[in-house]
Amino acid sequence: MTTVSTTPKDERVKNAGLLVKALRRPEFGAFLGAIAIFILFASTDTTGNFAALGGIAGWTDIAAPIGIVGIAVALLMIGGEFDLSSGVLVGTTGLLIGMLVTNVGLDIWSSIAIALVFAAGIGFINGYVVIKTKLPSFIVTLATFFVLKGANMAFTKFVTGSVRVTGTEKAVGFDSAQALFASKFGAEGFQISLVWWLVITLIATFVLTRTRFGNWIFAVGGDANAARNAGVPVEKTKIWLFVITSLSAALVGIMFVLRLKGMQAGQGVGQEFYYIIAAAVGGTLLTGGAGSAIGASIGALIMGMAYIGIPFSRWDSDWTATFLGIILFTAVMINTYIGRKAKGGKK
Amino acid sequence: MTNALELKDVEKTFGSVLALRGVSLEVAPASVTCVLGDNGAGKSTLIKILSGVHKQSTGLFQVEGKDAVFDSPRDALANGIATVFQDLATIPLMSVWRNFFLGNEIRTGFGPFKWLDVNKMKDIAKQELLAMGIDLRDTNQPIGTLSGGERQAVAIARAVHFGAKVLILDEPTSALGVRQSGIVLKYVLAAKERGVAVVFITHNPHHAYLVGDRFYLLNRGRMIGRYERDNVQLEELTKAMAGGAELEALTHEIAVVRK
């Protein structure tokens, strides 16, 4: 033992270089992937727009809604649960707001408030049923997904006589709500959703790594029994995660219904997989206990770039889903590999 | 001196099954009390009564001379009885300091806005582990990268730090190798040095004899023996535990087979 060192730092810790530290981050693989995909599309781009501000406004517009819900889904997955009803709930909340405004005659802000409470209720039911029945959340939320999908279609037809709700722009308070949730800024037409997405990324990262609730999320996903033995309120933590996920879907529903001034009954269906892909590409462990919010955002960004980059490069955009499938597989493979390496290869 | 924990004529039944009958146990402060028993002896039921998971059907359960009525493990914990379960109370992917403070996080901030005091928790975790003789390189590493013995040691240090007066260890060495077991036994003694009454539940008389001040033998739901360290030898303990004559017969049979 040397006594020369006066710093409290333990001399046995190899001075982990910046690279090793970066490698240990769960989102590192996604970060590299995002750079590679940016370079790929920037170089094959035929419009000259992909890397310009206008192009960036385009792909961040696609990425923002995926990122907003993807972050919440990532937190839920870190907590060891799934939510397959998050996509359809985007449609449900949008339709609900549309009907409250056009058929009930409420103002837009009251409708938004009711939709948020409704979504929180769906999230609570998801969580409560998962906790009480001890069934896998995959099954419980798959059931919620189909219940809502049917209800969206049937209820919309029953109330409006068609498969869409229109005319939300006539509601009282529409302008102020649109300014907050669905306006544009800058000459290139950046969507306000981009700001929401960035702010939510920052808040979620802080919550996850620097608050007690974040600590509990990792704990309940890592080992629920051990967490319970240590005094963590496992059930409350999980129910909150379901509620947060549903609220994030509602936020995106609000954005869509204000932007499109209406809603299709089938809106959002299938999106739940994009959220899960964003979380998984971003380094969230599917078995729970590890992951990051920034990772989910990078995952969403990759999807946004693919959606704009493929047509800009004059590729057949029918292949977009195939491209995303390959990205998902590759990213999870690389994440798993890096994860093992960075932990020093022990166990 | 009042006992840190005491059971008198405790009986536990599950329907028609008698899990424990007439079990008495005295645990002195700052000592190691070993409860030895083979599989099916009733060790798990005993632990669950002590840690607040089950209530005894009849009999007396006292903590520091007062009747104890626990509704849950949290209740027991609040009364200074901490249990380190065999299946480990740690989350492998979380860092050592996060595991150490899990459920007891130190927070800072103002008003309703509170966040984790990460540096303070790292410092305390490092110091507390060092005080127990656990010298970790980095409390930031996932606890899953530690050995089984070190993980048990962190769980013990955590219980001691958060004010456990009685520490119940459920088979802490059963899944460990020889060296790792030695590490855990060292920390059992370290906890005793710090004034904690340790209840060490095991089926290994060798490990018990290394650290124990008092030994109880549990067999088929009954306490069949109580020994003080001064008047018992390891051989006697092993024999009594394995049911004496039975073991001799077994030894003979094995000897025959080996020929």
Side-chain angles (χ1 to χ4, degrees):
Chain A
M1 264 231 173
T2 56
T3 47
V4 190
S5 168
T6 48
T7 51
K9 210 162 179 277
D10 201 302
E11 76 281 1
R12 289 163 302 172
V13 184
K14 255 199 295 182
N15 223 336
L18 222 56
L19 182 70
V20 177
K21 270 188 185 161
L23 277 169
R24 284 202 188 124
R25 307 279 322 156
E27 61 271 1
F28 184 73
F31 180 70
L32 282 189
I35 292 175
I37 285 165
F38 177 81
I39 292 171
L40 170 72
F41 286 124
S43 55
T44 57
D45 179 25
T46 57
T47 63
N49 247 337
F50 183 78
L53 279 178
I56 295 173
W59 37 268
T60 52
D61 177 28
I62 306 274
I66 297 174
I68 289 170
V69 191
I71 289 166
V73 167
L75 298 198
L76 181 71
M77 280 166 64
I78 295 169
E81 303 292 345
F82 271 103
D83 186 356
L84 295 177
S85 67
S86 52
V88 74
L89 195 60
V90 169
T92 307
T93 45
L95 292 167
L96 182 63
I97 291 170
M99 285 182 224
L100 285 173
V101 161
T102 54
N103 297 86
V104 183
L106 281 181
D107 67 289
I108 201 90
W109 286 103
S110 315
S111 309
I112 286 173
I114 291 170
L116 285 171
V117 172
F118 175 82
I122 296 286
F124 179 82
I125 291 169
N126 275 341
Y128 190 80
V129 171
V130 166
I131 296 295
K132 287 297 159 195
T133 62
K134 297 192 165 61
L135 289 172
S137 52
F138 193 90
I139 294 299
V140 172
T141 58
L142 185 62
T144 311
F145 170 23
F146 273 72
V147 168
L148 288 179
K149 184 184 173 190
N152 281 4
M153 190 59 78
F155 209 72
T156 308
K157 272 191 185 166
F158 174 74
V159 172
T160 67
S162 75
V163 291
R164 57 173 295 140
V165 179
T166 48
T168 44
E169 72 274 18
K170 292 176 205 117
V172 178
F174 181 83
D175 291 337
S176 57
Q178 198 185 34
L180 184 61
F181 293 111
S183 57
K184 289 186 180 189
F185 64 93
E188 289 78 15
F190 280 93
Q191 291 286 337
I192 194 87
S193 56
L194 172 61
V195 178
W196 280 90
W197 174 34
L198 293 176
V199 171
I200 288 172
T201 306
L202 291 177
I203 293 174
T205 301
F206 180 78
V207 166
L208 204 51
T209 59
R210 286 290 177 272
T211 70
R212 187 171 70 180
F213 183 64
N215 215 30
W216 290 353
I217 294 174
F218 283 113
V220 300
D223 185 338
N225 270 327
R228 199 173 285 117
N229 285 340
V232 174
V234 173
E235 308 187 343
K236 215 171 86 180
T237 305
K238 289 201 172 188
I239 289 176
W240 266 113
L241 287 172
F242 277 106
V243 171
I244 290 167
T245 306
S246 293
L247 284 175
S248 72
L251 177 61
V252 171
I254 292 165
M255 287 171 174
F256 279 150
V257 78
L258 292 171
R259 181 162 163 192
L260 306 171
K261 302 184 175 71
M263 202 73 157
Q264 298 281 350
Q267 183 89 38
V269 172
Q271 289 293 310
E272 60 281 342
F273 291 116
Y274 290 80
Y275 310 146
I276 294 172
I277 291 172
V281 166
T284 299
L285 204 61
L286 266 78
T287 45
S292 85
I294 295 176
S297 286
I298 297 175
L301 197 63
I302 289 176
M303 273 186 263
M305 286 196 283
Y307 264 87
I308 299 295
I310 287 173
F312 275 23
S313 301
R314 296 263 173 86
W315 300 350
D316 186 350
S317 50
D318 290 344
W319 290 100
T320 308
T322 309
F323 184 80
L324 289 180
I326 293 164
I327 294 285
L328 170 67
F329 182 77
T330 316
V332 174
M333 280 281 291
I334 293 173
N335 285 341
T336 312
Y337 179 75
I338 291 177
R340 280 194 203 126
K341 281 272 163 196
K343 273 180 196 126
K346 212 175 174 185
K347 264 157 250 169
Chain B
M1 195 158 62
T2 46
N3 285 313
L5 188 147
E6 189 171 346
L7 294 181
K8 236 181 233 157
D9 282 329
V10 162
E11 189 173 300
K12 178 70 191 174
T13 52
F14 296 100
S16 62
V17 179
L18 269 166
L20 292 177
R21 283 175 291 174
V23 167
S24 295
L25 179 74
E26 285 179 61
V27 179
S31 74
V32 179
T33 304
C34 301
V35 177
L36 288 149
D38 220 332
N39 294 341
K43 294 190 303 260
S44 303
T45 311
L46 183 65
I47 294 167
K48 283 178 178 161
I49 289 174
L50 296 178
S51 62
V53 177
H54 291 325
K55 264 184 223 163
Q56 74 272 27
S57 306
T58 61
L60 207 63
F61 178 10
Q62 290 190 324
V63 175
E64 292 184 319
K66 281 180 230 121
D67 282 348
V69 184
F70 298 145
D71 288 324
S72 69
R74 277 207 90 136
D75 256 9
L77 207 56
N79 281 279
I81 300 180
T83 309
V84 176
F85 286 98
Q86 189 180 5
D87 46 11
L88 295 171
T90 54
I91 319 270
L93 285 171
M94 291 177 81
S95 65
V96 173
W97 70 267
R98 279 185 190 266
N99 265 292
F100 192 91
F101 281 96
L102 186 61
N104 294 293
E105 292 86 351
I106 300 176
R107 293 188 295 168
T108 179
F110 46 88
F113 298 101
K114 289 212 159 71
W115 53 87
L116 298 178
D117 197 339
V118 175
N119 289 331
K120 195 170 170 188
M121 285 194 280
K122 278 183 184 169
D123 285 348
I124 293 176
K126 178 124 188 161
Q127 282 165 20
E128 278 296 309
L129 291 172
L130 207 56
M132 289 284 292
I134 308 161
D135 191 6
L136 284 184
R137 287 178 290 275
D138 180 9
T139 56
N140 230 352
Q141 70 197 86
I143 204 161
T145 60
L146 302 188
S147 69
E150 285 173 317
R151 269 180 284 164
Q152 285 281 1
V154 173
I156 293 171
R158 172 170 70 181
V160 172
H161 174 71
F162 290 106
K165 287 177 285 192
V166 181
L167 180 62
I168 298 161
L169 302 175
D170 173 17
E171 302 261 7
T173 58
S174 68
L176 303 178
V178 177
R179 216 187 98 72
Q180 295 293 323
S181 298
I183 292 173
V184 172
L185 295 176
K186 201 174 96 193
Y187 300 128
V188 168
L189 289 177
K192 172 189 157 184
E193 290 301 313
R194 296 183 67 172
V196 178
V198 182
V199 182
F200 181 11
I201 292 160
T202 180
H203 63 243
N204 190 327
H206 301 272
H207 291 166
Y209 195 73
L210 282 170
V211 295
D213 296 306
R214 182 179 293 159
F215 308 91
Y216 285 95
L217 288 184
L218 193 64
N219 191 18
R220 299 171 69 88
R222 286 179 185 278
M223 284 295 190
I224 56 166
R226 169 180 164 163
Y227 307 88
E228 299 295 327
R229 184 175 188 85
D230 299 334
N231 48 32
V232 69
Q233 292 301 317
L234 176 59
E235 291 74 27
E236 199 183 342
L237 214 53
T238 315
K239 223 172 204 179
M241 190 193 149
E246 277 174 50
L247 191 68
E248 263 169 39
L250 200 63
T251 315
H252 183 67
E253 276 173 39
I254 293 171
V256 170
V257 172
R258 279 175 62 93
K259 273 178 196 163

